[in-house]
């Protein structure tokens, strides 16, 4: 009886849904897969990746026809090996009752700004439970590892209207495809929440569902860390880039070093506790390129190791503390490759040679991509160093002190300024011997990132393992039993060649020039605000006009690649306003004024630094400001833009 009631509830979903009318499970014609063709047609248009994945698995059709069946009461089910079925133990409501969200008004507004990621579609019961109760603006992403199960869900329910509307997106179990799709949920990450739902009945089919859930959780954690960092720190990072802009032009460029590391064996020196074990042998190593982080230099000096170069990517003020422990005489001959996002006074305070590295997510992403090497530095300097070394074309990499975890109360090698052993939110892991070790979310994220980068690069990597986290893709060598004589030498002269090229790269480069546009932007934003002020006087009646104007504001803020990195928070604030899940209210007008005010301030600062206009641009700069940034650049001053 419970199963019959469940099917009846599914059949009434169309009447309850606010998005559009659609047909659900047809118990009389299920065996004929009434909705399969329509859903596949919609999938081919909206998600070519999953359509291609289905086509690449021709066995899915026969398996679907063999395993899919109906119980006598009309309950759709899937036959398992051994004669049992997915829902033999309990009917669907038992598994999906907790998927139903709360119904109060405040939570519904939050749900409209949120998204749900589903690991395993089952037969569509869980998906339909979400569709029944979630508001129309809520996004649903479904990842299914078995093509035959996806066919069963697509055959049972008409998802085509939801697929075409963009409310629901089906994805193949391909990490890169899923990662790209999750990256598009930035508004939901920042202004709502992302729920991960694992399809419990599907776990009876095999371990791939548990593995898929783990993969999705890892991806979501990584994106959450990245977006929260950008949200909180993007202004700081781009502000640092502006502060470093002139110095970076004077310090030189590494763009000419691509593939110049052929034949080099590089060793990335981390600051994990295991570095103590390998330090004596590494100090005597010859014919290898030793690279490390700026923060690790004080510890390396204590251990008697002198690296050939160091790197800094940390934009925080805590980097100043490194100089409290750093011996200037020791560092004077070690070149520093610095991300242009680090604090200008950290760059200025370094006693040795300096070379800038433009990194993604800032000015370099857009304005230097065709004239400089733009590094994806991520959030960990060891990952950044590995990517830099593969760009240089080194033949081999050895990892030392790359633990990403710890066993005792010391998370770093002695002499390092950071110690997170007492971190309250530390993450429990197991090392290669099955022992309990501790890590952090940022370390586990970097660990996965480094492992994926190693596999992707194809570069041979050896990890001098000292009891920390296992690094995927690297050949593990016991650090305690390691013999330095087993460290392969670089090709003759290759290390010296790289160091010579680094020295030659320290030549001033031509500064790019851009026309100032702050006057144009200020005038356009002022006109839009006047239009919005009129609309907000009749806010209930002018909802559509306000929405259109805010959409034009978003397009305008995104039009210029020069300003876009600095306007990240303002663009996201406008995105969030467009996805409020409620009508525009009078309180939104002051928020829009504040956004436009911040934009004007930032654009003037960009013009002052990058366009060389000085603090108060003169008449010449004002005349140049009327020229568009790029051909066809958007303007919100036009008659059509003002409605």
């Amino acid at each position: 009886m419970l199963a019959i009631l469940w099917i009846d509830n599914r059949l009434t979903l169309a009447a309850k849904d606010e998005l559009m009318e659609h047909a659900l499970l047809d118990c009389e014609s299920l065996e004929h897969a009434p909705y399969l063709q329509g859903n596949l047609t919609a999938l081919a248009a909206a998600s070519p990746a999953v359509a291609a994945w289905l086509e690449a698995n021709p066995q899915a059709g026969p398996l679907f026809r063999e395993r899919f069946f109906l119980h006598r009461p009309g309950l759709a089910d899937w036959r398992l090996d051994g004669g049992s079925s997915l829902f033999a133990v309990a009917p669907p409501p038992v598994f999906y009752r907790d998927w139903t969200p709360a119904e109060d008004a405040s939570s519904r507004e939050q749900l409209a700004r949120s998204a749900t990621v589903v690991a395993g579609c089952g037969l569509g019961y869980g998906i339909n439970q979400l569709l029944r109760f979630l508001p129309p603006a809520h996004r649903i992403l479904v990842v299914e590892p078995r093509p035959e199960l996806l066919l069963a869900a697509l055959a049972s329910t008409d998802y085509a209207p939801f697929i075409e509307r963009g409310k629901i997106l089906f994805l193949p179990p391909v990490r890169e495809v899923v990662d790209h799709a999750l990256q598009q949920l930035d508004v939901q990450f920042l202004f709502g929440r992302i729920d991960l739902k694992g399809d419990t009945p599907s776990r009876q089919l095999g371990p791939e569902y548990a593995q898929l859930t783990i993969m999705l959780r890892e991806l979501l954690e990584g994106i959450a860390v990245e977006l929260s960092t950008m949200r909180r720190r993007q202004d700081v990072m781009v502000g640092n880039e502006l502060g470093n802009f002139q110095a970076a032009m004077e310090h030189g460029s590494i763009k000419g070093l691509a593939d110049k590391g052929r034949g080099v064996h590089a060793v990335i020196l981390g600051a994990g506790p295991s570095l103590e074990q390998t330090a004596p042998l590494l100090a005597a190593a010859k014919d290898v390129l030793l690279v490390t982080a700026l923060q690790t230099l004080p510890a390396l000096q204590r251990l008697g190791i002198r690296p050939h170069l160091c790197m800094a990517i940390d934009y925080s003020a805590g980097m100043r503390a490194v100089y409290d422990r750093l011996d200037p005489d020791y560092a004077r001959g070690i070149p520093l490759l610095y991300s242009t996002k680090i604090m200008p006074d950290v760059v200025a305070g370094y006693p040795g040679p300096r070379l800038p590295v433009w990194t993604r997510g800032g000015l370099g992403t857009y304005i230097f991509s065709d004239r400089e090497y733009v590094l994806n530095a991520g959030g960990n300097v060891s990952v950044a160093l590995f990517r830099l070394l593969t760009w240089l074309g080194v033949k081999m990499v050895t990892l030392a002190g790359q633990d990403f975890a710890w066993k005792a109360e010391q998370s770093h090698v002695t002499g390092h300024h950071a110690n997170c052993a007492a971190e309250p939110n530390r993450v429990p892991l197991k090392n290669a011997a099955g022992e309990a070790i501790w890590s952090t979310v940022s370390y586990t994220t970097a660990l996965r990132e480094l492992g994926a980068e190693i596999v992707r690069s194809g570069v041979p990597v050896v990890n001098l393992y000292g009891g920390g986290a296992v690094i995927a893709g690297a050949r593990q060598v016991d650090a305690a039993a390691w013999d330095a004589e087993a460290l392969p030498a670089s090709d003759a002269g290759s290390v010296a060649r790289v160091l010579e090229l680094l020295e030659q790269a320290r030549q001033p480069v031509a500064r790019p020039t851009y026309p100032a546009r702050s006057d144009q932007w200020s005038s356009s934003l002022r006109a839009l605000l006047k239009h919005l002020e009129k609309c907000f006087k009749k806010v209930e009646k002018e909802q559509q006009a306000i929405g259109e104007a805010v959409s034009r504001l978003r397009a305008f803020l995104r039009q210029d690649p020069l300003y876009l990195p600095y306007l990240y928070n303002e663009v996201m604030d406008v995105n969030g306003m467009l996805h409020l899940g409620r009508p525009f209210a009078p309180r939104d007008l002051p928020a829009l004024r504040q956004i436009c005010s911040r934009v004007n301030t930032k654009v003037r600062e960009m013009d002052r630094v990058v366009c060389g206009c000085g603090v108060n641009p003169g008449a010449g700069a004002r005349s140049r400001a009327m020229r568009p940034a790029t051909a066809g650049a958007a303007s919100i001053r036009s008659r059509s833009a003002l409605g």
Side-chain angles (χ1 to χ4, degrees):
M1 188 62 177
L2 184 59
I4 296 174
L5 290 175
W6 171 253
I7 294 296
D8 289 342
N9 284 338
R10 286 165 56 89
L11 287 168
T12 61
L13 191 153
K16 293 184 179 181
D17 190 83
E18 303 170 34
L19 182 63
M20 61 186 73
E21 293 183 359
H22 69 291
L24 281 179
L25 190 62
D26 183 346
C27 299
E28 299 301 324
S29 57
L30 246 179
E31 292 178 322
H32 307 292
Y35 305 114
L36 183 57
Q37 189 55 53
N39 284 332
L40 289 176
T41 301
L43 273 181
S47 184
V50 76
W53 176 66
L54 286 171
E55 289 181 6
N57 289 275
Q59 79 284 357
L63 281 172
F64 160 60
R65 290 189 291 272
E66 175 189 342
R67 299 296 181 107
F68 186 78
F69 71 100
L70 290 177
H71 286 292
R72 288 182 181 177
L75 177 66
D77 207 340
W78 187 267
R79 187 170 289 106
L80 303 175
D81 294 337
S84 186
S85 68
L86 279 183
F87 299 104
V89 176
V94 174
F95 299 104
Y96 303 107
R97 188 180 294 118
D98 293 342
W99 288 29
T100 304
E103 285 292 333
D104 59 279
S106 61
S107 66
R108 195 157 185 83
E109 182 177 314
Q110 173 81 348
L111 286 169
R113 300 195 298 266
S114 301
T116 299
V117 180
V118 179
C121 65
L123 298 179
Y125 289 112
I127 300 170
N128 293 345
Q129 176 85 339
L130 296 173
L131 289 174
R132 183 188 300 112
F133 289 101
L134 292 173
H138 190 102
R139 296 284 308 283
I140 301 172
L141 273 63
V142 182
V143 188
E144 171 56 54
R146 292 195 172 212
E148 62 271 20
L149 263 293
L150 180 55
L151 287 179
L154 296 176
S156 308
T157 302
D158 182 13
Y159 293 120
F162 295 108
I163 295 171
E164 293 166 357
R165 178 77 161 74
K167 180 178 177 64
I168 185 169
L169 177 65
F170 289 94
L171 297 167
V174 180
R175 190 181 186 96
E176 293 75 15
V177 174
V178 176
D179 185 35
H180 177 75
L182 293 177
Q183 296 279 357
Q184 311 312 307
L185 299 177
D186 50 2
V187 174
Q188 288 81 3
F189 268 103
L190 295 176
F191 298 98
R193 56 177 294 172
I194 309 293
D195 287 328
L196 176 59
K197 304 287 189 185
D199 190 78
T200 301
S202 295
R203 294 200 174 201
Q204 301 173 75
L205 296 168
E208 62 267 37
Y209 290 92
Q211 295 164 359
L212 174 64
T213 303
I214 293 171
M215 182 192 81
L216 290 171
R217 184 176 292 111
E218 291 175 353
L219 290 174
L220 290 170
E221 286 177 355
I223 295 171
V225 169
E226 179 182 351
L227 287 176
S228 62
T229 299
M230 291 186 68
R231 181 66 170 169
R232 291 181 290 107
R233 300 299 186 185
Q234 182 72 353
D235 287 355
V236 173
M237 292 188 288
V238 179
N240 287 344
E241 284 197 301
L242 293 175
N244 286 318
F245 192 82
Q246 182 58 41
M249 299 296 106
E250 296 170 357
H251 290 159
S253 168
I254 66 169
K255 64 180 180 181
L257 273 69
D259 292 325
K260 295 300 190 293
R262 297 293 178 187
V264 170
H265 177 188
V267 179
I268 304 178
L269 301 165
S274 69
L275 187 63
E276 297 277 0
Q277 301 177 43
T278 55
L281 296 176
L282 288 169
K286 297 179 180 179
D287 297 323
V288 293
L289 182 71
L290 301 176
V291 302
T292 192
L294 170 61
Q295 300 97 306
T296 310
L297 288 184
L300 294 182
Q301 183 179 16
R302 183 188 68 82
L303 294 169
I305 302 174
R306 186 180 184 85
H308 294 96
L309 63 89
C310 64
M311 174 178 275
I313 66 169
D314 189 345
Y315 53 84
S316 70
M319 287 291 287
R320 296 187 181 115
V322 175
Y323 293 147
D324 296 337
R325 296 174 172 82
L326 184 63
D327 180 356
D329 292 333
Y330 168 76
R332 207 175 305 280
I334 303 173
L336 168 67
L337 273 63
Y338 66 90
S339 164
T340 50
K341 294 191 182 75
I342 74 172
M343 296 188 68
D345 56 347
V346 173
V347 177
Y350 187 71
R354 294 155 292 179
L355 267 170
V357 179
W358 296 93
T359 54
R360 290 188 190 176
L363 301 178
T365 304
Y366 299 98
I367 66 176
F368 286 134
S369 59
D370 59 343
R371 55 182 289 158
E372 290 285 350
Y373 169 58
V374 180
L375 172 68
N376 179 12
N380 182 273
V381 69
S382 293
V383 178
L385 279 167
F386 185 82
R387 287 173 174 155
L388 178 71
L389 291 170
T390 56
W391 175 73
L392 287 173
V394 300
K395 72 172 184 179
M396 179 181 176
V397 174
T398 292
L399 306 174
Q402 302 291 345
D403 297 330
F404 295 100
W406 64 94
K407 284 189 287 188
E409 293 304 313
Q410 186 172 336
S411 61
H412 291 74
V413 66
T414 301
H416 195 273
H417 73 284
N419 182 24
C420 55
E423 166 68 43
N425 298 317
R426 57 187 184 176
V427 178
L429 296 177
K430 296 286 186 182
N431 65 10
E435 299 171 318
I437 55 177
W438 298 98
S439 187
T440 66
V441 172
S442 61
Y443 284 169
T444 55
T445 300
L447 176 67
R448 292 191 296 267
E449 201 172 358
L450 179 58
E453 200 68 34
I454 290 172
V455 173
R456 185 163 42 242
S457 71
V459 175
V461 177
V462 172
N463 179 27
L464 303 182
Y465 182 74
V470 176
I471 300 174
R475 182 167 64 88
Q476 193 167 283
V477 174
D478 185 2
W482 174 65
D483 184 352
E485 294 182 0
L487 197 68
S490 302
D491 293 355
S494 60
V495 172
R497 182 178 68 249
V498 169
L499 297 177
E500 182 181 354
L501 290 172
L502 280 171
E503 177 64 26
Q504 294 174 1
R506 295 175 53 230
Q507 300 294 328
V509 298
R511 174 177 175 149
T513 57
Y514 303 94
R517 293 174 285 277
S518 55
D519 285 357
Q520 178 192 19
W521 277 58
S522 177
S523 177
S524 297
L525 293 172
R526 187 164 54 248
L528 180 70
L529 281 175
K530 289 181 64 176
H531 173 61
L532 282 168
E533 287 166 356
K534 292 180 181 178
C535 293
F536 270 95
K537 290 178 180 178
K538 300 178 180 179
V539 64
E540 294 84 4
K541 295 182 179 180
E542 298 291 349
Q543 288 290 312
Q544 182 176 349
I546 294 172
E548 291 172 353
V550 176
S551 294
R552 291 196 298 273
L553 173 61
R554 176 175 59 182
F556 183 79
L557 297 184
R558 293 175 58 87
Q559 68 165 310
D560 196 320
L562 178 63
Y563 298 148
L564 186 57
Y566 206 13
L567 300 180
Y568 172 83
N569 278 317
E570 287 67 37
V571 171
M572 294 311 301
D573 285 341
V574 175
N575 279 339
M577 192 168 289
L578 288 169
H579 293 82
L580 282 173
R582 62 167 176 80
F584 289 97
R587 67 176 182 270
D588 295 324
L589 181 58
L592 286 165
R593 288 197 186 104
Q594 291 176 5
I595 291 171
C596 292
S597 176
R598 297 200 310 265
V599 169
N600 280 325
T601 299
K602 289 184 174 182
V603 171
R604 284 195 296 270
E605 176 67 6
M606 288 286 294
D607 282 357
R608 183 185 71 82
V609 175
V610 179
C611 303
C613 298
V615 178
N616 297 306
R622 285 195 295 272
S623 65
R624 291 194 302 273
M626 301 310 294
R627 296 201 298 264
T630 57
S635 172
I636 53 177
R637 297 187 63 193
S638 65
R639 182 180 300 275
S640 61
L642 295 175

